[in-house]
Amino acid sequence: MLHLEIVTPDRLFLSEEIEMVIVSGIEGDLAILKDRTPITTPLRIGRVRIFQNGEEREAAVVDGYISALDNKVTIATDAAEWPDEIDVERAKAAKERAERRLANKPDGLDIARAEAALKRAINRLDLKNKY
Ligand code: ATP
């Protein structure tokens, strides 16, 4: 078994024994299993898939990093939500706001920031749609 902790600035999101975790790394999906070589790598806006007792759970996360050492895995991320915690109306509003900014391109628009907001909203809506 592996011990997985997921921490955000607000809370200890998860601290459990698990079999495998799959994350969205900056270079693609990364599966972490027991007894692997130590690793620390950045995460993208995406999903964390947690496998435990033959079941899978999924959470949305925003950036951060994953670190695995001695069968302890730590994910530190800016935000994490289970599907049932995602407020669809809020995510839709965030998506529309970002889309409007990117379409109108007002002076001084921080394009990277608007694109990241759009990605966060789409990631939340996609996860919510799946469950
Ligand atoms: P918004 O513009 O609606 O605040 P955001 O993408 O800027 O969205 P984040 O900065 O990623 O929000 O997250 C800030 C906090 O709000 C985090 O704790 C995150 O879990 C929570 N959060 C953001 N959007 C949602 C949502 N749609 N449903 C539930 N929690 C959310």
Side-chain angles (χ1 to χ4, degrees), residues 10 62 79-81 85-87 90-91 94 97 120 124:
D10 308 331
V62 175
E81 302 103 34
E85 294 175 323
I86 293 170
D87 176 340
R90 177 172 168 181
R97 207 160 50 236
R120 293 195 297 275
R124 289 178 173 122

Side-chain angles (χ1 to χ4, degrees), residues 11-103:
R11 58 178 167 161
L12 176 60
F13 180 78
L14 181 113
S15 176
E16 285 177 21
E17 301 299 311
I18 62 148
E19 280 141 26
M20 176 172 72
V21 59
I22 301 179
V23 292
S24 313
I26 49 165
E27 285 163 18
D29 286 358
L30 177 69
I32 308 273
L33 283 152
K34 198 171 173 292
D35 296 332
R36 68 152 292 131
T37 313
I39 184 175
T40 297
T41 192
L43 300 179
R44 290 185 287 118
I45 292 165
R47 316 269 179 80
V48 173
R49 299 170 61 194
I50 300 154
F51 297 80
Q52 207 175 25
N53 309 320
E55 288 186 7
E56 177 184 350
R57 284 181 296 163
E58 250 182 311
V61 296
V62 175
D63 300 327
Y65 72 87
I66 184 165
S67 163
L69 177 71
D70 296 338
N71 291 325
K72 284 196 185 120
V73 182
T74 305
I75 293 173
T77 179
D78 291 340
E81 302 103 34
W82 297 114
D84 65 4
E85 294 175 323
I86 293 170
D87 176 340
V88 171
E89 292 311 313
R90 177 172 168 181
K92 277 188 186 161
K95 178 170 178 278
E96 279 161 23
R97 207 160 50 236
E99 282 171 342
R100 208 176 322 116
R101 287 192 177 122
L102 290 165

